[in-house]
Amino acid sequence: MATSSFVDLNDGARMPAVGFGVWRIPAAQTTAAVLDALEAGYRLIDTAPGYQNEEAVGAAIARSGLRRNEIFLVSKVPNRSHGRGPTREAYERSCEALGVAAVDLYLIHWPAPHRGRYVETWETLCALRDERRMRSVGLSNFQPHHLSDVVERTGVVPAVNQVELHPYFSQPALRKLHAEQGIVTQAWSPLGQGGELLTDPAIAAIADRHGKSPAQIVLRWHCEIGTVPLPKSGNRSRIRANLELDFELDAEAVRELDALDRGRRIGPDPETFEP
Ligand code: A2P
């Protein structure tokens, strides 16, 4: 699926429609997991300094035998690096850790509103992009009012907003805003962190009906609603299975999955999160 399927970004770049997330993969296991993912066909790898595995991701890219331009690499500005100088330094540190000249997409990891510097940080990302230090820039965990603030104050619409998103927290209002502004939604914890969601009876029934696993049903739902899921797994067979999404959900299944929204996060609240 990911090898042949892409989404268009509003800056003219193309991004794989499914990615591999490495949050919570311990550094010692990350190189093997990313190599498994690249071998399985993933071409989007999502990391961040806060995951403490950028070096290990870089080692996998170096050992993969793939050309750099075959991999779409994403990293993020940590909260402690908001502001002009710190953001530039953080970007150089990420590139060095990853062993690359540039990432493909660079995001502000969290709005960290109490720091009051996300607009300045966004202006810095835009400047770096204008200097051709990376192809695309975007946001992560921005709520509608943070997003509107950034766009109104800078006039630059991000290519992507990466947020927590799964059937129990499907963020319809934010997705609508993204669609109106041409922003692609990336989903972190697309499987609801592998908890209760994957044993939900409604999803089990849809899985039986389609002859697929619950995880495949959830990931296919992301594709159907137009979000780019970034599933994490440290297990080779689940890494592979999570990319076998070349099937369609019937319309009833999409409606049933949409109806599971509880409007409650599993992860931190972007309004207050300070990692
Ligand atoms: P594991 O790494 O052992 O495969 P999310 O991407 O939503 O954060 O979910 C990640 C969690 O879901 C991890 O605990 C991962 O465990 C688990 N997971 C990933 N893929 C599958 C799958 N196909 N079936 C069941 N659990 C999965």
Side-chain angles (χ1 to χ4, degrees), residues 189-194 198 215 230-235 238 242:
S189 288
L191 298 170
Q193 299 183 15
L198 296 184
L230 307 169
K232 170 263 171 189
S233 177
N235 173 282
R238 287 193 285 278
N242 289 348

Side-chain angles (χ1 to χ4, degrees), residues 50-74:
Y51 305 168
Q52 299 183 350
N53 54 19
E54 284 182 309
E55 283 89 352
V57 169
I61 291 172
R63 277 163 52 182
S64 68
L66 293 165
R67 289 190 302 272
R68 176 66 191 87
N69 65 7
E70 292 178 278
I71 299 169
F72 191 99
L73 186 57
V74 185

Side-chain angles (χ1 to χ4, degrees), residues 23 110 140-143 160-179 183-194 197-198 203 215 217-232 257-258 260-268 270:
W23 177 47
W110 295 89
S140 182
N141 299 302
F142 275 54
Q143 302 268 67
V160 163
N161 189 18
Q162 183 188 122
V163 296
E164 176 181 346
L165 202 151
H166 43 77
Y168 284 167
F169 189 62
S170 56
Q171 305 234 45
L174 184 64
R175 281 193 282 127
K176 185 165 174 283
L177 185 65
H178 288 173
I183 300 168
V184 170
T185 310
Q186 283 184 333
W188 61 261
S189 288
L191 298 170
Q193 299 183 15
L197 181 71
L198 296 184
I203 296 180
I217 295 297
V218 171
L219 293 170
R220 184 65 219 178
W221 169 82
H222 281 280
C223 300
E224 304 273 352
I225 66 167
T227 62
V228 172
L230 307 169
K232 170 263 171 189
L257 285 151
D258 285 346
L260 294 177
D261 186 24
R262 298 170 171 178
R264 276 203 311 271
R265 301 175 186 281
I266 300 175

Side-chain angles (χ1 to χ4, degrees), residues 72-143:
F72 191 99
L73 186 57
V74 185
S75 193
K76 313 183 186 87
V77 187
N79 288 9
R80 63 177 179 278
S81 299
H82 280 209
R84 290 182 206 286
T87 292
R88 286 180 175 271
E89 284 159 25
Y91 183 61
E92 297 310 324
R93 269 199 306 279
S94 277
C95 289
E96 194 180 327
L98 289 158
V100 296
V103 304
D104 297 278
L105 171 66
Y106 197 48
L107 309 177
I108 304 178
H109 204 154
W110 295 89
H114 50 284
R115 290 182 182 256
R117 302 185 87 174
Y118 61 72
V119 173
E120 188 185 331
T121 305
W122 177 240
E123 286 167 349
T124 310
L125 260 60
C126 295
L128 283 164
R129 193 218 20 216
D130 292 347
E131 293 161 24
R132 301 186 189 280
R133 287 293 289 118
M134 74 283 282
R135 180 69 174 83
S136 299
V137 288
L139 307 171
S140 182
N141 299 302
F142 275 54
Q143 302 268 67

